[in-house]
Amino acid sequence: DARVTQTPRDKVTEMGQEVTMRCQPILGHNTVFWYRQTMMQGLELLAYFRNRAPLDDSGMPKDRFSAEMPDATLATLKIQPSEPRDSAVYFCASGPGLNKETQYFGPGTRLLVL
Amino acid sequence: GENVEQHPSTLSVQEGDSAVIKCTYSDSASNYFPWYKQELGKGPQLIIDIRSNVGEKKDQRIAVTLNKTAKHFSLHITETQPEDSAVYFCAASISDSWGKLQFGAGTQVVVTP
């Protein structure tokens, strides 16, 4: 049963620290999405990639967030420095690309910045 | 850009009854409409989707209908069970983008035994 995996599942850190979240998309999928979910804002798209190339990261605060895909099996989302307002659940989703809009979500990383 | 509105925000039903969630979208070029179910502490799970060339799609107890003219689509859950309790999200594809989706705000469904 192919699934998107994310690590860590939970992260507690102090303000100012660097946070790195990792995602392994479903093997063979060529689109990868990063979302942030909060009670107030719902699901927000931060960035997405196709064939490892960034297509859109306009939803991401550029001064502190960065997203990369060093290879086809790994996507990373980094926050440096982290702030309390970054506390949220971060989801990665991947899609097969053929039906390009179909997305399958990972279990998420719950981030708490103190 | 695309805007998706979802109603109701909460829905309480008795076990065995039907539940209906409705979404409207603004971009007539949208052509893909998935529904996701999110249980507490988990990621959204795709449960059914429909494309604009189809008016209705059914999978066991869940069905989705699409009215392109009115730009709305609905999720129907029949014979609800306690395990159907979750937050449900609708979404619509954003035209001229590679795979981006616009999500609704979500509906908290509670099925009481």
Side-chain angles (χ1 to χ4, degrees):
Chain A
D1 184 24
R3 298 183 184 188
V4 176
T5 59
Q6 290 185 247
T7 57
R9 292 297 313 275
D10 288 279
K11 176 72 176 180
V12 181
T13 191
E14 292 187 347
M15 182 174 63
Q17 296 298 306
E18 178 178 299
V19 176
T20 298
M21 291 169 271
R22 293 176 175 80
C23 165
Q24 182 172 8
I26 293 172
L27 188 64
H29 283 191
N30 64 2
T31 56
V32 174
F33 304 81
W34 282 105
Y35 292 89
R36 176 169 62 185
Q37 186 177 43
T38 62
M39 288 295 293
M40 295 298 296
Q41 300 296 327
L43 271 168
E44 302 174 89
L45 179 66
L46 298 175
Y48 75 115
F49 296 78
R50 179 188 171 213
N51 293 329
R52 297 176 54 201
L55 288 189
D56 186 353
D57 61 1
S58 59
M60 214 162 58
K62 299 289 192 307
D63 56 338
R64 299 183 300 107
F65 284 60
S66 62
E68 295 180 344
M69 276 202 77
D71 62 61
T73 64
L74 177 65
T76 62
L77 179 66
K78 190 173 294 186
I79 309 174
Q80 168 63 12
S82 58
E83 298 180 1
R85 59 179 167 155
D86 301 328
S87 298
V89 182
Y90 291 82
F91 289 105
C92 172
S94 71
L98 187 61
N99 293 318
K100 58 179 188 279
E101 307 92 343
T102 305
Q103 299 179 24
Y104 299 91
F105 282 75
T109 293
R110 186 185 308 268
L111 174 65
L112 177 60
V113 183
L114 302 174
Chain B
E2 176 67 281
N3 183 48
V4 176
E5 294 191 358
Q6 182 172 348
H7 299 279
S9 57
T10 60
L11 180 60
S12 184
V13 296
Q14 288 281 343
E15 181 177 359
D17 288 349
S18 295
V20 180
I21 304 169
K22 299 181 180 181
C23 289
T24 61
Y25 60 99
S26 59
D27 186 355
S28 57
S30 292
N31 59 9
Y32 174 70
F33 308 91
W35 286 89
Y36 288 85
K37 174 184 180 182
Q38 187 175 23
E39 296 174 318
L40 196 62
K42 297 184 178 181
Q45 178 189 6
L46 178 67
I47 56 172
I48 196 168
D49 55 12
I50 192 169
R51 296 193 178 274
S52 58
N53 58 345
V54 176
E56 184 174 357
K57 185 175 177 181
K58 190 173 181 180
D59 183 4
Q60 298 182 1
R61 295 187 298 107
I62 60 173
V64 57
T65 58
L66 171 65
N67 184 326
K68 287 175 56 181
T69 304
K71 290 189 285 189
H72 66 70
F73 56 112
S74 300
L75 178 71
H76 304 253
I77 308 173
T78 58
E79 300 173 19
T80 54
Q81 301 168 4
E83 52 264 38
D84 294 329
S85 296
V87 178
Y88 292 80
F89 292 94
C90 65
S93 59
I94 299 173
S95 58
D96 299 327
S97 74
W98 189 266
K100 287 173 69 172
L101 295 172
Q102 181 67 48
F103 284 85
T107 297
Q108 174 76 61
V109 174
V110 177
V111 180
T112 52

